[in-house]
Amino acid sequence: MARYTGPKTKICRMFGEPILGNGKYLGKNPNPPGQHGANRKRKQLGEYATQLKEKQKAKYTYGVLERQFRNTFDDANRLKGITGENLIKLLEARLDNTVYRLGLAASRPAARQLVSHKHVTVNGDVVNIPSYRLKPGDIIGLKEKSEANASLTSQIRGKNPKFSWLDWNEAEKKGTFITFPERESVPENIKEQLIVELYSK
């Protein structure tokens, strides 16, 4: 199960955004990464470099490597509607991302680990595939044995009310994937049209 395991702060500094969750270091050192980062000006990127950087940002944000990302793009391209928006919808429908959005884990890597270690259920069945694509109406929760694990349940912080495409039942500690989100509801700072232009070359 391939995933990025390199330095996270370096990636955040490369994009100038806390895309991997540790934004506190950007305030201390907003320069590009590397020994000479402070003396190196951020040069103006060309069209291709700008598009490539946007794709890399999306991949790092959702924790997806190239082959899986390309397959997701191809699926988005086959759907009706705007390809870029479809891409974001499909990335948001990943199980690991939804576990993170529901507040069952503090970060996407933590959510991925929770899924991989068979703590998460979908409609009552254990699913250990982080890239599993949810459908409207799917119910996500922790399996019974995991609900009794205090170290896991103490991490649950509940859903952000901004995520209107999800519903959270505090009493049962279960969430529902209501529908695919509209692009304006997703807070990620990704210019998906640049990704579409890159793959259209």
Side-chain angles (χ1 to χ4, degrees), residues 3 8 10 12 20 24 41 89 162 174 198:
R3 60 190 176 89
K8 296 178 181 178
K10 178 180 178 181
C12 293
L20 294 178
K24 61 181 180 180
K41 292 183 178 180
K89 288 179 181 180
K162 293 180 181 178
K174 293 185 186 299
L198 176 67

Side-chain angles (χ1 to χ4, degrees), residues 6-26:
K8 296 178 181 178
T9 302
K10 178 180 178 181
I11 298 302
C12 293
R13 287 173 60 194
M14 184 168 72
F15 292 103
E17 298 177 33
I19 61 173
L20 294 178
N22 47 358
K24 61 181 180 180
Y25 297 106
L26 285 176

